[in-house]
Each structure stands twice: as structure tokens, then as C-alpha cells.
């Protein structure tokens, strides 16, 4: 707020200058200053109170939600403190977590999805369903959108190729998403997932690895190992 200067006694009316004793004039000027300060304080206070109330209301709502999630998770039988903490982290990053589904499906082979992959079981389940649909339709372009920015591809002879350039991936989609890879992706679900803490999750004995780039993020395909898929499926690769 821009504060205006108080009037100087030399700018008072002639009546004030000539008809009021000096001591009374000084008292009147001081009273005017005090009145202006009181008015300014009163006009600003509601704005501060209103902002504080809005902030407090928002914080209270978030704290109430976090408290409810924590209590719900702690009430789940047989859950360790570490697994509970991982779920709380991924729930905190999600706009509307599916608490019941996540509690029921977090534990898989090797540990928990929330700790191993860094995302929720419901988010991983959604990603797998999208992969199912694209693989069943032989839609390699759609599957390419589900690849991590840095993809490692190992062919059936063990040759390793790292992709960091999207255009290079597009040129090799037929070999990356070969029929044996599509077969695994078309049928993948949470029951087939094995997690390795802090490394991600894999399908088909490590034939396909999934990971996220951030807590609560969407799982993406990070590694495709056709050599491992040949062993997992027990049939020659193409």
C-alpha cells in the first residue's frame, strides 16, 4: 500500500494556524497520525486473516488425507513398516490413490511393487493392461510410447544395444517387438511380476524389465532381453 504523507502544519487552514494554540495544534496533528495508522491496520488485517485461513484450510485437508491413508495402511494385516512407508510415498504422489487395490496387490515375488518399482500396484496394473492391448493388436507404435527414454535391447545372440534416440528406436521396432516379446506383453499381469528392490520389476525371467523415472510415476519398459525370453519360453527365438 502506498502511504500518503501527513499534512504539515504549514498547510493547515488559516483558522487553524491563527485560532489554535501551538500545543493544541501539535496534539491535533498527532491525533490525526494515530487515526490514519489505525485505519490502515484495520483495512489490511482482513486480507491477512483471509489468506491465513485459506492456507490453513488447504493444509488441514492435505494432512487429513495423509492421516487417513496412514491409518488405512497401518491397519492392513501382515504389512511391514518399510512396505507401508513405500506405499505412503507413492500415494502422496498420486492425485487419487486406489488404497484398497494397492494394499491387496502390493506384495509380489521378491518384495513389494511400491518399494521395488517406486509406484503403486494400481499404476503398474494400468500400464500392463495398456501393454496387453497394444501387443494383442500388434501395435508397435503404441508400444514404443511405453518405452523408457533409455532402452537396453539384447537380441537372442546376446548383442546389447542402447537406445537414447527416439528415431533409432522407430527404425528397429520390428526387431525390438518381435513375436516372442509381443506374446509376453499381451498376457502380462501382476501375478507374473517379480521385483528387485531399487531396480524395478521384471517379467519372464528377466526378459522384460519395467521401471519408473520418478516416485509414483508410470512404469515403462526399460530393458528387453530376447536371449532371456528364449530361455523362459523354452523355444527358439526368431
Amino acid at each position: 500500500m502506498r502511504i500518503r504523507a501527513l499534512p504539515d502544519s504549514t498547510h493547515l487552514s488559516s483558522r487553524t494556524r491563527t485560532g489554535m494554540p501551538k500545543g493544541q495544534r501539535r496534539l491535533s496533528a498527532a491525533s490525526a497520525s494515530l487515526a490514519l495508522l489505525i485505519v490502515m491496520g484495520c483495512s489490511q488485517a482482513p486480507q491477512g486473516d483471509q489468506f491465513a485461513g485459506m492456507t490453513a484450510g488447504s493444509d488441514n485437508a492435505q494432512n487429513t488425507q495423509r492421516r487417513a491413508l496412514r491409518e488405512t495402511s497401518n491397519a492392513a494385516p501382515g504389512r511391514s513398516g518399510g512396505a507401508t512407508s513405500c506405499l505412503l510415498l507413492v500415494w502422496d504422489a498420486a492425485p487419487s490413490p486406489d488404497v484398497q487395490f494397492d494394499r491387496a496387490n502390493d506384495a509380489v515375488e521378491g518384495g513389494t511393487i511400491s518399494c521395488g518399482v517406486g509406484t503403486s500396484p494400481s499404476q503398474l496394473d494400468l500400464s500392463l493392461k495398456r501393454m496387453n492391448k497394444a501387443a494383442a493388436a500388434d501395435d508397435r507404435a503404441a508400444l514404443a510410447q511405453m518405452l523408457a527414454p533409455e532402452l537396453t535391447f539384447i537380441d537372442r545372440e546376446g548383442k546389447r544395444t542402447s537406445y537414447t534416440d527416439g528415431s533409432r528406436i522407430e527404425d528397429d521396432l520390428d526387431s525390438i517387438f518381435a513375436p516372442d516379446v509381443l506374446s509376453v506383453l499381451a498376457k502380462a499381469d501382476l501375478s507374473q511380476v517379480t521385483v528387485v528392490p531399487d531396480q524395478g520389476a521384471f517379467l519372464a525371467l528377466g526378459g522384460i524389465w519395467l521401471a519408473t523415472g520418478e516416485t509414483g510415476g508410470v512404469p515403462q519398459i526399460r530393458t528387453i532381453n530376447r536371449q532371456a525370453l528364449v530361455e523362459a519360453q523354452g523355444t527358439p527365438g526368431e
Side-chain angles (χ1 to χ4, degrees), residues 11-162:
H11 298 126
L12 298 176
S13 66
S14 59
R15 178 182 177 184
T16 303
R17 291 200 306 271
T18 58
M20 183 182 295
K22 291 183 179 180
Q24 188 173 353
R25 289 203 300 269
R26 285 195 293 269
L27 180 60
S28 177
S31 300
S33 300
L34 179 61
L36 178 59
L37 291 174
I38 291 174
V39 170
M40 290 169 56
C42 292
S43 64
Q44 292 176 354
Q47 296 178 3
D49 291 344
Q50 183 180 14
F51 176 77
M54 292 171 60
T55 304
S58 176
D59 290 343
N60 288 337
Q62 292 180 359
N63 291 335
T64 299
Q65 182 183 28
R66 290 191 181 98
R67 199 160 45 242
L69 290 174
R70 188 176 295 107
E71 292 171 356
T72 302
S73 181
N74 289 338
R79 291 198 60 82
S80 66
T84 297
S85 299
C86 291
L87 269 179
L88 289 173
L89 285 174
V90 299
W91 283 341
D92 194 51
S96 54
D98 190 338
V99 175
Q100 185 174 357
F101 182 91
D102 291 343
R103 275 177 40 198
N105 294 278
D106 195 30
V108 294
E109 185 72 25
T112 61
I113 293 170
S114 58
C115 290
V117 188
T119 194
S120 65
S122 53
Q123 184 67 264
L124 178 56
D125 183 63
L126 179 60
S127 295
L128 290 176
K129 283 181 168 58
R130 289 172 177 165
M131 293 176 192
N132 295 160
K133 181 178 180 180
D138 198 15
D139 189 346
R140 289 174 169 82
L143 288 170
Q145 301 301 313
M146 305 175 198
L147 296 173
E150 297 184 3
L151 172 72
T152 298
F153 175 70
I154 303 172
D155 66 19
R156 60 183 181 178
E157 285 79 28
K159 179 183 177 182
R160 180 186 297 262
T161 303
S162 296

